[in-house]
Amino acid sequence: MPDPDEPRRSAKPQRFQAPIGTRDLLSPESERRRALVDRFAEHAALAGYRHLVTPMFEDLGVFTRLGAATDVVTKEMYDFTDKGGRRMALRPELTASVCRAFTEHNPAVLPWKVWYSGPQFRHEKPQKGRYRQFDQVGVEALGSEDPDLDTESIALAWRFFDDLGLRRVRLLVNSLGEAAERARYVEALADYLARHTDALSDAAVATLARNPLRVLDSKRPEDGYVIAGAPQLSDFLGVASVTHFERVLAGLDSLGIDAEVSPKLVRGLDYYRRTTFEFTAESLDASQNAVGGGGRYDGLVEALGGKPTAGVGFALGVDRTLLACDAEGVFGPVERTVECFVVDTTGGLTGYEITEALRRAGVATDRSWAGELTDEGLGRPRSMKAQMKAADRSGANLAVLVGPDELEVGAATIRRLRAGPDQAPSAQRRVPLSRVVSEVQTELGR
Ligand code: AMP
């Protein structure tokens, strides 16, 4: 197979397409996506999270602090040297940027609770549900170790999925313990896996060398047998970690949130401590069904040069959440149309003025445009028939017509293009120009 990243060579001027792993989002899909982000913003605001916008690129170091064993940093980063010779990277995720912003602004009130949305960039092998540019929404709360904050974070995502209408989202939770506990476990796990390399897939052996924890993510059956006998992380947790985790589970239970403890849930980023969680959409293919995840990252702010600060949060994948909505037939796209269409066959400015007056009054309005210019450089009005066709295609319920007859008596005709309450399609009446806006509003039930 040709390498998709290799540029094609041809003699003709090149026609460009969106880069591999990216897509143009057209209406109504683009609007549906915005509606999803708006919905998320409402949930975040209800829980006291404030909007944070950070740059789409950062100093490379902001992300390399995420850990040398983190794939999104070592293998998938869009890093580059800018014209000033600085090493930069397009953000592969947002938690590191949030921690960088926290350190930079040193907010007085803790926990600092923020939400965000926007594109992330990872040089992955694209497939359905896996892109090189994809959107996330998420929250982070910095400055408190309170396990109830972990519960709040999980509950926010859970309510959001529920509000979208998704009924087949599973919540998996685990505790990775304190840094030292996790480190001891990783050592024991690496030891165990090293003794079983004969039975592991080549891919798992390669992963073992970089990050033993990630071997637990393997979905290959041969690895499954080895993983089944691996040491359990829960056996390495100290009393404080266990108590913290139990409080999170009790909190979720009290809110009626169905959490499954998944001892092998380790997640991709190295910096997680204690609580870690993931949401999977059971309606999606198992290989790409993670719709979101998060956890505690109590050491990250410090790694970025800040004071020791606890943090917890999550990021949800917008693309996959929308795929899950498709699979469950909920939160569908809404086709938006204008409400009114202005047809003017006189070539004067009346249609133009009516259009602007309607828009100022809050009526979504469009009009038709000249196909060609006259010798004087003016738009030649299209025929009534052509303009009415455009009106019909626009999806508007009403048309306002201005022809020479109407103009002569200072009037316009309001015509129904689609049946309304008590109104047949094509019902029409003439109204004075001064009353067009108010009559249109009445027709639209305002
Ligand atoms: P992560 O930042 O890796 O924890 O990812 C959080 C969520 O972002 C995942 O659960 C996915 O829903 C989504 N996600 C991660 N990588 C991609 C990608 N390449 N394409 C689409 N969505 C992604």
Side-chain angles (χ1 to χ4, degrees), residues 279-326:
F279 296 95
T280 61
E282 295 308 290
S283 54
L284 296 181
D285 193 56
S287 58
Q288 309 301 333
N289 71 353
V291 286
R296 271 204 169 270
Y297 42 88
D298 293 349
L300 188 57
V301 172
E302 212 176 338
L304 285 164
K307 330 186 250 253
T309 307
V312 61
F314 64 76
L316 310 181
V318 170
D319 306 80
R320 287 193 203 162
T321 300
L322 287 171
L323 286 174
C325 289
D326 289 340

Side-chain angles (χ1 to χ4, degrees), residues 122 124 129-131 134 136 267 290-293 315-317 320:
R122 297 181 190 174
E124 300 202 70
R130 185 174 293 282
Y131 310 101
F134 58 96
Q136 287 184 338
R267 304 198 19 85
V291 286
L316 310 181
R320 287 193 203 162

Side-chain angles (χ1 to χ4, degrees), residues 210-401:
R210 278 183 296 122
N211 184 349
L213 272 184
R214 294 309 303 272
V215 176
L216 302 180
D217 284 346
S218 168
K219 301 218 160 62
R220 291 187 177 78
E222 65 268 40
D223 299 334
Y225 290 118
V226 179
I227 292 167
Q232 294 280 326
L233 180 52
S234 47
D235 294 335
F236 289 73
L237 301 188
V239 177
S241 292
V242 170
T243 314
H244 194 275
F245 191 42
E246 279 172 356
R247 173 73 183 191
V248 175
L249 294 179
L252 293 173
D253 190 49
S254 77
L255 297 175
I257 295 173
D258 229 348
E260 293 168 46
V261 176
S262 172
K264 303 217 156 57
L265 178 69
V266 293
R267 304 198 19 85
L269 304 175
D270 284 347
Y271 52 69
Y272 284 111
R273 301 276 175 271
R274 293 196 276 218
T275 316
T276 169
F277 52 94
E278 188 157 280
F279 296 95
T280 61
E282 295 308 290
S283 54
L284 296 181
D285 193 56
S287 58
Q288 309 301 333
N289 71 353
V291 286
R296 271 204 169 270
Y297 42 88
D298 293 349
L300 188 57
V301 172
E302 212 176 338
L304 285 164
K307 330 186 250 253
T309 307
V312 61
F314 64 76
L316 310 181
V318 170
D319 306 80
R320 287 193 203 162
T321 300
L322 287 171
L323 286 174
C325 289
D326 289 340
E328 290 201 37
V330 297
F331 202 74
V334 178
E335 197 74 59
R336 287 189 61 155
T337 59
V338 290
E339 300 165 286
C340 189
F341 197 92
V342 176
V343 169
D344 182 347
T345 54
T346 68
L349 288 172
T350 310
Y352 178 72
E353 287 161 6
I354 293 175
T355 305
E356 286 301 311
L358 284 167
R359 289 174 182 168
R360 266 200 299 277
V363 178
T365 306
D366 210 346
R367 50 169 285 204
S368 77
W369 306 95
E372 57 186 81
L373 299 186
T374 62
D375 292 344
E376 295 82 48
L378 294 176
R380 195 191 302 277
R382 294 160 75 202
S383 71
M384 176 66 129
K385 194 168 159 210
Q387 292 199 43
M388 284 309 292
K389 211 162 152 188
D392 202 48
R393 274 208 214 106
S394 76
N397 280 327
L398 296 177
V400 175
L401 318 179

